[in-house]
Amino acid sequence: MHHLRSEARSAGAPIGPDANKGIGFPRLYDLLVLMLTRGRDRAYREAVLDLAGLAPGFHLLDVGCGTGTQAISACHRVQPGGSVVGVDVSEKMLAAARRKAGRAGLDIAFHHADAAELPFADGRFDVVTFTTVLHMVPEARRGLCLREAARVLPPGGRLLLIDYAGPVSERGHMSAKHGMHGQFDLHRLREPLAAAGFERIEGGPLDWLGLHYLGAVRL
């Protein structure tokens, strides 16, 4: 769903706070999400959180949190006792996320950070999610992102990746076929996930917007 950010970045461009400013129009982004999900964006977010297996007391890192909608939904699921932290490369998206969380009366920390250099201690989180983020990351840096996710998870911690996958000719939704979306296949990350220290890797279609998921557990 971050395909506006995809189009704003060339395929070989680096990722990071200094290299990329991310999406500069959060209100338009939220409207686009609403349109693509045909007004069912809340149900889409809940489906993602179901796959993440969140429960009260869990600590979640939402990488590429955008305007914070998913982080806010997750925050309700991990209470009491849990927490949600979001990171993104776009200052404007983070500002929108902070405003949303503030209006909802929720204590969610949002950080400006690179997915390949997360500013958190080892084993800090129980679950890490990347929702339509990795197709924007240059291939050479995707392994770094996965290793950072492994680092901030304890043994048994869960990683959830949501992105585009499968042969382009078989993708039913228009947003899954074009540009960087059409060049990316999430299931090619199975081997890099194993190399980064994950096991019990499983995945399949999400039944939303032609997206797929990969879930894995930290060794």
Side-chain angles (χ1 to χ4, degrees):
M1 297 248 275
H2 294 239
H3 69 287
L4 289 176
R5 189 184 308 177
S6 306
E7 292 170 0
R9 181 188 299 149
S10 64
I15 182 172
D18 297 327
N20 174 61
K21 301 303 181 184
I23 297 174
F25 29 90
R27 290 183 179 177
L28 180 57
Y29 172 78
D30 280 347
L31 177 60
L32 181 61
V33 171
L34 187 67
M35 292 172 60
L36 286 173
T37 58
R38 299 182 179 180
R40 299 183 62 206
D41 58 311
R42 179 173 296 182
Y44 160 71
R45 302 291 183 190
E46 293 300 322
V48 171
L49 297 178
D50 286 344
L51 284 171
L54 294 182
F58 277 38
H59 301 286
L60 167 71
L61 175 62
D62 183 12
V63 180
C65 62
T67 63
T69 304
Q70 181 168 296
I72 289 170
S73 295
C75 193
H76 292 293
R77 289 208 181 194
V78 299
Q79 300 307 318
S83 67
V84 175
V85 175
V87 299
D88 204 281
V89 294
S90 168
E91 292 280 21
K92 289 187 177 181
M93 297 291 271
L94 289 167
R98 293 182 184 114
R99 288 194 298 270
K100 282 186 183 180
R103 288 195 299 266
L106 298 175
D107 182 17
I108 301 175
F110 292 102
H111 297 265
H112 185 227
D114 185 340
E117 297 180 39
L118 296 171
F120 307 111
D122 295 0
R124 164 74 172 78
F125 301 96
D126 301 301
V127 179
V128 175
T129 58
F130 286 74
T131 305
T132 59
V133 172
L134 286 171
H135 72 267
M136 300 179 296
V137 178
E139 185 173 359
R141 291 178 63 82
R142 290 170 189 159
L144 295 175
C145 296
L146 298 178
R147 287 195 289 274
E148 273 293 88
R151 182 184 64 78
V152 301
L153 287 167
R158 181 167 174 77
L159 174 66
L160 177 66
L161 311 177
I162 305 292
D163 226 304
Y164 301 95
V168 173
S169 61
E170 297 177 10
R171 300 184 187 187
H173 197 278
M174 62 176 183
S175 68
K177 298 181 179 182
H178 303 293
M180 296 175 73
H181 297 188
Q183 299 169 23
F184 184 81
D185 187 345
L186 178 63
H187 296 299
R188 292 177 184 168
L189 293 183
R190 289 175 178 268
E191 289 188 11
L193 277 169
F198 289 95
E199 62 177 354
R200 291 160 55 188
I201 301 166
E202 58 184 24
L206 189 59
D207 296 327
W208 284 93
L209 306 174
L211 294 166
H212 286 234
Y213 76 92
L214 277 180
V217 174
R218 173 77 163 89
L219 282 169

